[in-house]
């Protein structure tokens, strides 16, 4: 974890005080406001980490601090240091500037367009220039001058450049010289620790030969960074590479879901992907894990009355122009997986990565990643009412990323691999995931604060409203217990997407909701009634989260039952067939998440006092369900207020 920053450190983009985030690949520290823009750019532009609330490999943090302290920011603002730039009116952002458009436009120009980077003299042959830069990088990494290497990388030097005369890569050179911070920088820019030189040796081999044991161990970690990150996301554990354990495959309790033939087909297609396509899919899932974890830290550390707005959220992975449109579409679809579905995909990827690393062959297939994701998403779509709709949204532009405040979740079910676990989770290992749990709880608590603030504002609005009608509701609701793929966002608008029902096989708590047709009703309950029920739901969710934080797993079921009762009472306020698509969507999310919550909580009921080995994963799913319930309740308050005041 990060050490405490010195008070003299300033945001690299606006000179604001006390920056709390780092852009790892840019070697800079940035403030909260500027970080909100960095996140919208995507990891291919800026890889952000919180300095205090994100786990850091010590040498990676040391690398960023070294770059920052040695003026790495001047690389990205080279031309702004020229006095002539002031005369021309070009300047960097300042702390008083608005995030949008002022800071956002400057940051995009600085990092995305590289508008202020020093330009090399033009040559007719660009490949010669790149080769020359890469040779300079090859020579420079044997020293400790990080900023020189970052400057070369910013100009186009290749981290994986294979020197034709020397017969090795820059990472080989840095490893032989024991330059661990150079190795960190090269790895951030894509250097592969497993690359062989002309003698058949890897950078790890040279680090060990030179007695640089810390560097050798770190290079092994970097080599398995992708699968380590996925495993840690699910269960808070990392493999013990020192003792030869390189993979952890978490378990899922409800392995009966493996029975789906479509699930088996999807997994088979995943296994038969070429190594290249499998690596692309795995990297995309890694980026989605990073987006979700960074989003949790972001929500847990921000003042929601100012920074968390529709222009600062990142609802799905931003577009990477170097990727095809179909790959970008597939990357965006990952945001629609709920916690259970996404965990299943991660487990399958971990299992297949282990199989491929061990060299187990499978027959090749021409299926691509998009087809696999489509197969996964279609597993239960036979009951959908609009299967003729396209499976993918059009790829959003950067502007769309800034403006959208939420994303819908595609309803997918994949097979669950319960036979690949590398052993049970110990109590000590479980404690390691507490920080992640606390961050997730903070995310819910901050959302609750938004609800409370919104309630106060709505009461003021209600006093001014000329007409508020209270609806006499029926004691029953006929809403599906299935989430819809087109969720209303926090402003009451909806995102175009495919509507599809979800079936949870084996979940006896889900009732049969087939009833005779009822005509749609336009009448909504009063805002006061909806707010009152939302506050009750909020209170019960907070109680559940306290139990999760204190490891009181026996309290999960009674808490979930109270939440379910409160949700049922809130749903009963609304007409059986609301006219508004947004209301129906939010109610489906509300009720389905409550049923799902009960199902997840029941998994903590073993026959004896011991807990299941995957209790961390169950807790994560419980928190996700609670978040979805709170989100849906907030949507209903917002929509009801808007409709009643029109």
């Amino acid at each position: 974890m990060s050490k405490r920053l010195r008070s003299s450190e300033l945001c690299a983009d606006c000179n604001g005080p006390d920056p709390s985030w780092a852009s790892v690949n840019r070697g800079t520290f940035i403030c909260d406001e500027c970080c909100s823009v960095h996140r919208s750019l995507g990891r291919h532009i800026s890889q952000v980490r919180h300095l205090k609330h994100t786990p850091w490999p010590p040498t990676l943090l040391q690398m960023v601090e070294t770059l920052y302290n040695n003026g790495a920011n001047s690389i990205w603002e080279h031309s702004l240091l020229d006095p002539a730039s002031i005369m021309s009116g070009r300047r960097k952002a300042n702390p008083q500037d608005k995030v949008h458009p002022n800071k956002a436009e400057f940051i995009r120009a600085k990092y995305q367009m590289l508008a202020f980077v020093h330009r090399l003299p033009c040559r007719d042959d660009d490949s010669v220039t790149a080769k020359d830069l890469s040779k300079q990088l090859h020579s420079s990494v044997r020293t400790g001058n990080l900023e020189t290497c970052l400057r070369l990388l910013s100009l186009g030097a290749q981290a994986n450049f294979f020197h034709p005369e020397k017969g090795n890569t820059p990472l080989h050179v840095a490893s032989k010289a024991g330059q661990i911070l150079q190795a960190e920088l090269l790895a951030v820019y894509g250097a592969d620790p497993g690359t062989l030189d002309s003698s058949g040796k890897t950078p790890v081999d040279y680090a060990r030969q030179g007695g640089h044991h810390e560097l050798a161990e770190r290079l092994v970690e970097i080599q398995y960074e992708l699968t380590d990150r996925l495993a840690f996301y699910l269960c808070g554990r990392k493999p013990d590479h020192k003792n030869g354990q390189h993979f952890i495959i978490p378990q899922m309790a409800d392995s009966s879901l493996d029975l789906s033939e479509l699930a088996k087909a999807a997994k088979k297609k995943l296994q038969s992907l070429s190594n290249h396509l499998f690596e692309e899919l795995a990297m995309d899932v890694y980026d989605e894990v990073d987006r979700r974890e960074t989003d949790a830290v972001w929500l847990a550390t921000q003042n929601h009355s100012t920074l968390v707005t529709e222009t600062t959220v990142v609802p799905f992975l931003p577009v990477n122009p170097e990727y095809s449109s179909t790959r970008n579409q597939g990357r965006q679809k990952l945001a629609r997986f709920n916690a259970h579905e996404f965990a299943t995909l991660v487990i399958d990827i971990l299992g297949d990565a282990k199989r491929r690393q061990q060299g187990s062959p499978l027959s090749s297939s021409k299926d691509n990643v998009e087809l696999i994701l489509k197969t996964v998403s279609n597993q239960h779509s036979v009951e959908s009412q609009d299967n003729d709709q396209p499976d993918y949204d059009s790829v959003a532009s950067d502007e769309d990323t800034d403006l959208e405040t939420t994303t819908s979740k595609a309803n997918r079910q994949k097979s669950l691999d319960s036979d690949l676990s590398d052993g049970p989770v110990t109590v000590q290992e479980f404690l390691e995931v507490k920080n992640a749990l606390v961050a997730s709880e903070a995310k819910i608590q901050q959302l609750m604060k938004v609800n409370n603030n919104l309630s106060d504002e709505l009461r003021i609005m209600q006093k001014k409203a000329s007409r508020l009608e209270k609806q006499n509701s029926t004691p029953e609701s006929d809403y599906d217990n299935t989430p819809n793929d087109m969720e209303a966002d926090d402003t009451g608008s909806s995102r175009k997407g495919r509507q599809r029902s979800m079936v949870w096989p084996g979940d006896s708590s889900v009732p049969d909701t087939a009833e005779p047709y009822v005509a749609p009703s336009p009448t909504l309950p009063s805002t006061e009634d909806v707010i009152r029920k939302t506050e009750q739901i909020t209170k019960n969710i907070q109680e559940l989260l306290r139990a999760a934080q204190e490891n009181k797993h026996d309290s999960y079921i009674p808490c979930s039952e109270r939440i379910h009762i409160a949700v049922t009472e809130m749903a009963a306020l609304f007409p059986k067939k609301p006219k508004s698509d947004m209301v129906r969507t939010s109610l489906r999310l509300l009720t389905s998440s409550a049923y799902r919550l009960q199902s997840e909580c029941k998994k903590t009921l073993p026959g004896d006092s011991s807990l299941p080995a995957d209790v961390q994963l169950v807790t994560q799913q419980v928190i996700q369900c609670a978040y979805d319930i709170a989100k849906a309740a907030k949507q209903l308050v917002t929509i009801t207020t808007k409709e009643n005041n029109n």
Side-chain angles (χ1 to χ4, degrees):
M1 298 295 286
S2 165
K3 59 188 179 185
R4 184 176 298 277
L5 296 176
R6 295 189 297 275
S7 60
S8 60
E9 290 174 337
L10 302 176
C11 172
D13 296 337
C14 73
N15 289 333
D18 302 324
S20 54
W21 295 81
S23 175
V24 178
N25 57 323
R26 304 297 180 173
T28 58
F29 294 152
I30 52 178
C31 69
D32 288 356
E33 289 192 346
C34 291
C35 177
S36 70
V37 181
H38 278 250
R39 293 182 60 222
S40 72
L41 299 178
R43 292 188 73 253
H44 59 288
I45 302 295
S46 181
Q47 301 170 17
V48 297
R49 280 176 176 255
H50 197 278
L51 288 164
K52 295 183 176 69
H53 296 282
T54 302
W56 282 82
T59 51
L60 180 62
L61 177 60
Q62 187 181 349
M63 183 270 289
V64 178
E65 289 177 330
T66 301
L67 284 172
Y68 177 87
N69 292 330
N70 286 277
N73 195 43
S74 64
I75 295 173
W76 316 111
E77 296 183 357
H78 176 83
S79 63
L80 291 181
L81 302 177
D82 185 347
S85 66
I86 301 177
M87 301 298 293
S88 66
R90 298 169 70 183
R91 67 168 183 87
K92 71 180 297 177
N94 64 58
Q96 290 73 40
D97 284 337
K98 294 181 178 180
V99 178
H100 295 277
N102 305 76
K103 289 184 179 181
E105 289 179 353
F106 171 74
I107 291 170
R108 289 181 185 277
K110 179 178 175 179
Y111 298 110
Q112 193 170 40
M113 310 304 296
L114 299 178
F116 314 123
V117 171
H118 174 63
R119 299 294 179 183
L120 293 174
C122 293
R123 293 191 184 185
D124 293 334
D125 187 355
D126 290 336
S127 63
V128 174
T129 300
K131 185 176 181 180
D132 290 344
L133 290 169
S134 298
K135 285 186 174 181
Q136 291 181 47
L137 177 67
H138 191 277
S139 301
S140 299
V141 293
R142 69 181 72 252
T143 73
N145 198 333
L146 286 178
E147 60 272 18
T148 296
C149 294
L150 179 61
R151 190 180 302 276
L152 291 168
L153 289 164
S154 74
L155 293 171
Q158 299 301 304
N160 275 317
F161 172 73
F162 191 88
H163 199 296
E165 290 84 23
K166 306 291 184 180
N168 57 12
T169 69
L171 192 54
H172 285 96
V173 176
S175 300
K176 190 173 183 180
Q179 293 289 349
I180 191 168
L181 300 188
Q182 293 282 23
E184 290 282 4
L185 178 60
L186 291 169
V188 166
Y189 276 82
D192 182 4
T195 300
L196 300 176
D197 67 358
S198 56
S199 302
K201 294 182 178 179
T202 67
V204 179
D205 294 330
Y206 283 106
R208 287 174 176 158
Q209 287 178 8
H212 310 301
H213 301 298
E214 181 186 6
L215 173 56
E217 291 173 2
R218 177 64 184 137
L219 287 173
V220 173
E221 290 180 357
I222 291 171
Q223 192 168 0
Y224 290 94
E225 179 186 2
L226 190 151
T227 49
D228 284 4
R229 179 79 178 271
L230 299 188
F232 190 81
Y233 171 75
L234 289 184
C235 65
R237 299 172 59 201
K238 288 186 177 181
D240 185 0
H241 296 293
K242 291 182 182 179
N243 293 320
Q245 181 196 36
H246 298 309
F247 293 92
I248 288 180
I249 318 295
Q251 287 182 315
M252 295 279 276
D254 45 355
S255 57
S256 61
L257 298 183
D258 261 331
L259 298 176
S260 165
E261 290 301 320
L262 284 168
K264 293 178 181 178
K267 184 172 182 178
K268 184 176 181 181
K269 290 176 181 177
L270 174 71
Q271 292 175 334
S272 59
L273 281 178
S274 68
N275 285 338
H276 173 70
L277 288 177
F278 177 78
E279 288 173 2
E280 285 189 351
L281 175 60
M283 287 189 291
D284 293 344
V285 170
Y286 176 97
D287 286 351
E288 175 64 13
V289 165
D290 182 83
R291 186 194 70 82
R292 293 184 182 214
E293 292 188 329
T294 303
D295 191 55
V297 174
W298 172 259
L299 289 174
T301 57
Q302 302 311 308
N303 180 346
H304 283 242
S305 65
T306 57
L307 265 186
V308 179
T309 67
E310 62 270 16
T311 56
T312 64
V313 298
V314 182
F316 47 74
L317 290 174
V319 172
N320 186 338
E322 295 182 2
Y323 296 160
S324 67
S325 60
T326 50
R327 183 176 179 184
N328 274 311
Q329 288 168 339
R331 285 164 59 84
Q332 290 183 2
K333 297 290 268 187
L334 292 172
R336 299 182 178 181
F337 284 74
N338 64 27
H340 182 274
E341 297 155 353
F342 189 62
T344 304
L345 176 60
V346 170
I347 288 171
D348 282 349
I349 287 177
L350 284 170
D352 209 49
K354 181 178 181 180
R355 178 190 65 79
R356 290 169 188 261
Q357 197 261 356
Q358 294 174 345
S360 303
L362 277 177
S363 58
S364 61
S365 171
K366 296 182 180 180
D367 293 326
N368 59 21
V369 172
E370 289 74 27
L371 181 57
I372 288 175
L373 292 178
K374 184 174 181 178
T375 303
V376 173
S377 74
N378 282 337
Q379 285 178 25
H380 299 290
S381 64
V382 291
E383 297 184 6
S384 173
Q385 297 179 357
D386 56 354
N387 281 342
D388 57 337
Q389 296 297 317
D391 195 65
Y392 293 104
D393 295 339
S394 59
V395 175
S397 66
D398 291 326
E399 289 76 13
D400 293 332
T401 304
D402 282 339
L403 292 175
E404 292 211 45
T405 63
T406 190
T407 185
S408 55
K409 297 175 181 177
N411 302 306
R412 303 168 175 87
Q413 189 68 37
K414 292 187 81 253
S415 65
L416 303 175
D417 192 347
S418 60
D419 300 323
L420 294 173
S421 174
D422 287 336
V425 181
T426 66
V427 173
Q428 181 61 36
E429 289 165 337
F430 175 63
L431 292 177
E432 295 174 1
V433 82
K434 284 294 293 295
N435 286 337
L437 177 58
V438 171
S440 297
E441 179 184 4
K443 177 178 179 180
I444 307 298
Q445 299 287 5
Q446 290 291 347
L447 184 59
M448 295 305 100
K449 291 180 181 178
V450 175
N451 279 340
N452 292 337
N453 293 337
L454 183 61
S455 298
D456 293 338
E457 295 172 6
L458 292 176
R459 287 192 180 94
I460 295 174
M461 293 171 58
Q462 185 134 4
K463 293 178 181 178
K464 301 178 182 178
S466 59
R467 54 183 181 85
L468 285 172
E469 181 179 356
K470 185 172 182 179
Q471 171 70 23
N472 292 325
S473 56
T474 57
E476 295 182 357
S477 170
D478 83 3
Y479 302 112
D480 294 342
N481 61 307
T482 53
N484 191 291
D485 191 42
M486 187 173 67
E487 297 175 7
D489 65 21
D490 292 346
T491 62
S493 62
S494 62
R495 182 173 178 223
K496 292 181 180 178
R498 182 171 187 170
Q499 293 181 307
R500 187 182 299 118
S501 295
M502 174 178 290
V503 178
W504 293 100
D507 188 351
S508 60
S509 66
V510 179
D512 182 3
T513 59
E515 293 185 8
Y517 172 77
V518 179
S521 170
T523 308
L524 295 178
S526 73
T527 307
E528 283 185 344
D529 287 346
V530 176
I531 290 174
R532 187 166 57 252
K533 294 301 181 184
T534 298
E535 290 173 343
Q536 184 60 46
I537 292 173
T538 297
K539 179 181 177 181
N540 292 329
I541 287 177
Q542 290 172 332
E543 181 183 358
L544 173 64
L545 291 175
R546 280 193 295 271
Q549 186 177 15
E550 297 170 3
N551 296 331
K552 295 180 179 178
H553 305 100
D554 55 348
S555 299
Y556 281 13
I557 291 180
C559 286
S560 68
E561 289 175 349
R562 285 191 287 271
I563 292 173
H564 182 264
I565 292 172
V567 165
T568 302
E569 291 176 351
M570 182 167 180
L573 294 175
F574 291 81
K576 294 174 69 67
K577 289 289 183 179
K579 184 176 181 180
S580 168
D581 288 339
M582 293 181 292
V583 172
R584 289 198 300 271
T585 296
S586 299
L587 283 166
R588 284 193 180 103
L589 177 62
L590 183 74
T591 55
S592 65
S593 299
Y595 284 120
R596 179 65 182 159
L597 176 64
Q598 284 192 305
S599 176
E600 292 295 334
C601 289
K602 288 178 181 178
K603 295 175 185 177
T604 61
L605 267 182
D608 53 26
S609 60
S610 63
L611 288 173
D614 60 346
V615 65
Q616 307 97 317
L617 185 54
V618 171
T619 297
Q620 180 187 3
Q621 313 257 1
V622 166
I623 291 173
Q624 180 64 48
C625 291
Y627 174 75
D628 289 341
I629 292 169
K631 176 182 176 182
K634 179 185 175 184
Q635 290 172 358
L636 288 169
V637 171
T638 304
I639 297 169
T640 305
T641 304
K642 181 179 178 181
E643 293 295 325
N644 284 336
N645 289 324
N646 281 341

